[in-house]
Amino acid sequence: LASFYVSYLAYRNLKSVVPVLRPGDLFDQELASFDRSLFAGQDPAALLHSLLGTGVATHLMAASYMLFFAFIPGTLAMALVFSPNLQAGLFYATAQSLNWLLGAASYFLVPALGPIYADPRAFSNLPPTGVADLQQLLLDQRLDFLRDPVAGTAQSIAAFSSLHVSIFFTGAVAAHLLGLGRRLRITAWVLLGLTVLSTIFLGWHYVVDDLGGLVLGAVALAMAWKLTGFDVRAVRRSAAGTG
């Protein structure tokens, strides 16, 4: 648990200084153009708004997005405290820790703000939610940081890649690798799907950011497997034998 949160703090600090180390480098226009090329010239967020509406759907998407902050400590507790197989828990925690570091690297590779900050008018019709308050808070913190990087609060705005998606994808794939119950596996994939929709609907990420998050999650799992030497097949055989 300590190593996981040390990795998170390193990620947060690295993420914060992206605009200092790469001043003026933003790829929002390119990412938005790529998104439109995937949807026949249409903006994917606008398509979701027209398809789902902007009333109840906004509150549902906001609630789905905020589940991230319960998912991380909840699944870590299950893996490291309540799991009968500590090696499996260490494999999972290692994979999630690597997501932070891989995500920080992706922010330096392709700096971007995200749709809500690059084109706020596209989301001005959404009703107020806790997520909207969070987005405004992060913007205020970024402006304070840019005015004075030493005294300002660490800024946390970065779009590519989506760590929400990579974290949930890692959890969903790990549920299969570790042979967890069918309900848990289905729940993990549903949460991933809702997270993908919410990141686009609320303007946090471009579609390509979420695709990047899937890649990060897969790489994190592969690296965790190599680093820990964890025998996934043995755990699956054991789970199948006791199921």
Side-chain angles (χ1 to χ4, degrees):
L1 284 174
S3 298
F4 175 85
Y5 282 105
V6 166
S7 299
Y8 169 74
L9 290 174
Y11 154 83
R12 177 174 169 81
N13 290 338
L14 289 168
K15 180 180 184 180
S16 183
V17 299
V18 171
V20 174
L21 298 181
R22 297 202 61 179
D25 291 340
L26 290 174
F27 290 85
D28 287 273
Q29 183 175 349
E30 291 81 359
L31 295 175
S33 296
F34 184 81
D35 269 15
R36 293 189 180 93
S37 71
L38 296 177
F39 292 88
Q42 299 296 311
D43 179 76
L47 288 175
L48 283 179
H49 295 169
S50 62
L51 178 65
L52 302 177
T54 57
V56 174
T58 301
H59 295 282
L60 175 61
M61 292 295 103
S64 300
Y65 184 84
M66 299 299 281
L67 284 174
F68 176 81
F69 302 105
F71 179 84
I72 291 176
T75 57
L76 281 175
M78 290 175 60
L80 294 174
V81 180
F82 299 107
S83 171
N85 189 325
L86 181 58
Q87 288 185 326
L90 294 175
F91 164 73
Y92 176 74
T94 300
Q96 292 294 24
S97 298
L98 288 167
N99 272 307
W100 297 126
L101 304 182
L102 293 169
S106 72
Y107 298 151
F108 283 95
L109 181 66
V110 185
L113 298 176
I116 186 65
Y117 301 113
D119 185 16
R121 291 175 299 178
F123 303 90
S124 60
N125 61 328
L126 299 182
T129 62
V131 166
D133 294 338
L134 176 60
Q135 289 170 331
Q136 183 60 49
L137 174 63
L138 295 182
L139 179 58
D140 292 340
Q141 290 177 344
R142 180 182 176 88
L143 295 175
D144 288 341
F145 178 82
L146 292 178
R147 280 191 292 266
D148 189 346
V150 175
T153 303
Q155 74 88 30
S156 299
I157 293 177
F160 184 90
S161 296
S162 171
L163 264 292
H164 269 64
V165 170
S166 71
I167 292 289
F168 274 105
F169 180 71
T170 297
V173 175
H176 281 270
L177 293 176
L178 301 178
L180 300 187
R182 183 170 180 269
R183 290 183 180 179
L184 285 175
R185 298 197 305 269
I186 292 175
T187 299
W189 287 109
V190 169
L191 290 175
L192 173 63
L194 288 173
T195 297
V196 170
L197 288 176
S198 67
T199 59
I200 298 168
F201 186 99
L202 299 170
W204 288 108
H205 291 291
Y206 304 98
V207 172
V208 67
D209 300 339
D210 287 349
L211 295 176
L214 297 178
V215 173
L216 288 190
V219 172
L221 285 163
M223 291 179 65
W225 174 60
K226 287 292 185 181
L227 288 171
T228 62
F230 179 60
D231 191 346
V232 174
R233 290 172 295 182
V235 172
R236 288 182 59 83
R237 287 195 297 268
S238 175
T242 58

